[in-house]
Amino acid sequence: MPSPFPSTSSIPGKGDIHLTLLPPSTPTFSHLTYTYPLKLLPSIPHNLPPRFSKGPPSSSDSPGQPPFSPETVPLLFLLTYGGGLVAGDHIDLSVHLDAGTRLTVTTQGSTKIFKPSASAAPTTRQDLSVRVCNHAALWMAPDPVQPFAGSLYAQKQTFHLERGGSLGFVDWVSEGRKARGERWAFAGWRGRNEIWEVYGEELQRSRMLVRDAVVLDGKDAQGRMDGMGVFGTVLLRGPLLEPLADFFVEEFKALPRIGGRNWTNASDTVQELTTKEEWRKQRLQREKGDGLLWTACHVRGCTIIKFAAKEVEGAKAWLGNMLKEEGSVGREFGDGGLMFVR
């Protein structure tokens, strides 16, 4: 019997986001669509103090000019029905930020990757394609992906930035359901992040700046993770997040080095620490207690931060501490940018 309902051309898991500016400087979603199992939930925008020009910049504006600051930054929650993805689910999300806009994307909890019911189940996938125009900025900081035992997962995030665009992206994965004895017990986890620079008179040319790929094979993954319960990457690029990028690199340079010698002795006069030095001292103590390891470096105009910790809460506390101390995320994206570390 033929279906009485008309056929549909919608693709499961497909999402499209297009953020633009309405006069004088109001960011608005001109396009926001999604299909099951993906759900996009806009929240109340966060107000920012006006600091620069009220007129939206054009794509031809010089990247060296001061970044445009809109009055508000929309906050968008990236959700899935049931809080996770089952075998064979495919999320395909496209994001486009017009010149002068800013957007914060986060989640309301970890994305669970459920165990397949069949032995030869298809891979669960998430694909993200982002275009950030001149003087636009994206801060994307979801909670960690949580793959269950036996799950098979792959993700790819591709970011195309015009020279004045800014990007901050947090990508992390946890060991699974530790309370159920799962420690890196998935069948496989693969992730790839790419940052491309878009340039040229008609913005038709592009070149790759960073390709960051992580492959975690389920075979003996627990042993190779050396007791760590979470592993992650932070990618930063653009003028808006340059102070944050420099902050991470400078703090990494200040870390104690193996083989370093303390030339002071008990008879030396104890010098009073500055506020910054006291904060750093307390942070290093917490890092040691949480078993947290991290590194940071500049690569072709981008900054890559790698981190790992024994517990998700330890990594979350470290990220929150670093971001709040430097202040760029809260200042440029509002309180919603720090929601994932609360």
Side-chain angles (χ1 to χ4, degrees):
M1 179 179 177
S3 172
F5 301 102
S7 59
T8 177
S9 59
S10 61
I11 302 174
K14 178 68 174 177
D16 288 288
I17 302 170
H18 191 158
L19 186 65
T20 188
L21 275 181
L22 293 181
S25 57
T26 304
T28 302
F29 291 106
S30 60
H31 194 68
L32 182 64
T33 61
Y34 57 88
T35 57
Y36 178 90
L38 174 65
K39 186 173 184 179
L40 303 174
L41 183 62
S43 184
I44 300 175
H46 289 258
N47 295 323
L48 296 179
R51 286 172 292 170
F52 300 110
S53 169
K54 291 295 183 180
S58 65
S59 298
S60 60
D61 286 343
S62 172
Q65 294 177 354
F68 169 76
S69 178
E71 295 180 351
T72 59
V73 176
L75 173 63
L76 185 70
F77 288 99
L78 177 62
L79 311 175
T80 55
Y81 289 87
L85 300 171
V86 300
D89 280 349
H90 182 195
I91 301 298
D92 186 7
L93 179 61
S94 176
V95 181
H96 186 106
L97 303 185
D98 282 352
T101 60
R102 295 184 192 175
L103 176 64
T104 301
V105 179
T106 188
T107 57
Q108 291 182 329
S110 61
T111 301
K112 283 81 174 172
I113 310 300
F114 293 105
K115 178 181 178 180
S117 57
S119 57
T123 302
T124 303
R125 299 187 58 86
Q126 286 200 85
D127 294 323
L128 173 67
S129 178
V130 175
R131 175 67 175 255
V132 180
C133 294
N134 190 23
H135 293 320
L138 172 66
W139 175 253
M140 192 167 189
D143 290 275
V145 175
Q146 186 181 28
F148 289 4
S151 62
L152 190 61
Y153 176 77
Q155 64 178 23
K156 179 182 177 182
Q157 284 89 209
T158 306
F159 304 93
H160 290 86
L161 278 71
E162 297 179 13
R163 291 191 176 181
S166 298
L167 168 70
F169 178 60
V170 182
D171 180 25
W172 45 341
V173 56
S174 70
E175 61 189 341
R177 296 174 292 182
K178 186 177 180 179
R180 296 176 61 91
E182 297 180 2
R183 295 183 64 93
W184 309 104
F186 45 76
W189 190 97
R190 297 191 176 195
R192 187 169 73 180
N193 302 313
E194 296 179 356
I195 299 179
W196 293 73
E197 181 185 39
V198 181
Y199 65 100
E201 293 184 2
E202 301 296 330
L203 299 177
Q204 297 296 322
R205 304 183 65 184
S206 62
R207 62 169 181 166
M208 180 183 293
L209 301 176
V210 168
R211 172 177 284 170
D212 177 70
V214 177
V215 178
L216 299 176
D217 193 345
K219 298 179 181 179
D220 194 33
Q222 178 179 348
R224 288 183 283 111
M225 294 305 291
D226 195 27
M228 294 298 179
V230 60
F231 172 80
T233 303
V234 180
L235 299 177
L236 303 172
R237 176 170 173 80
L240 201 65
L241 292 172
E242 184 176 354
L244 178 62
D246 292 339
F247 174 79
F248 270 101
V249 173
E250 290 302 318
E251 286 302 311
F252 177 70
K253 291 179 180 179
L255 288 177
R257 300 301 177 198
I258 296 176
R261 182 174 178 180
N262 184 4
W263 293 93
T264 62
N265 55 53
S267 61
D268 291 337
T269 303
V270 178
Q271 296 182 352
E272 184 177 354
L273 299 178
T274 64
T275 302
K276 181 67 174 294
E277 291 171 339
E278 182 64 32
W279 170 83
R280 182 180 294 140
K281 177 182 177 181
Q282 295 178 4
R283 196 202 78 222
L284 291 175
Q285 292 175 347
R286 286 192 294 267
E287 289 179 9
K288 184 177 180 180
D290 293 330
L292 190 137
L293 301 174
W294 67 284
T295 181
C297 66
H298 294 310
V299 180
R300 302 185 70 184
C302 305
T303 302
I304 303 176
I305 300 106
K306 295 284 186 178
F307 64 92
K310 295 186 180 299
E311 303 284 348
V312 173
E313 291 304 317
K316 186 177 294 187
W318 172 77
L319 270 174
N321 192 15
M322 295 289 281
L323 296 177
K324 293 174 184 177
E325 175 68 18
E326 195 280 330
S328 287
V329 173
R331 182 172 59 251
E332 306 295 352
F333 294 91
D335 293 338
L338 299 172
M339 189 170 294
F340 77 111
V341 292
R342 293 176 181 171

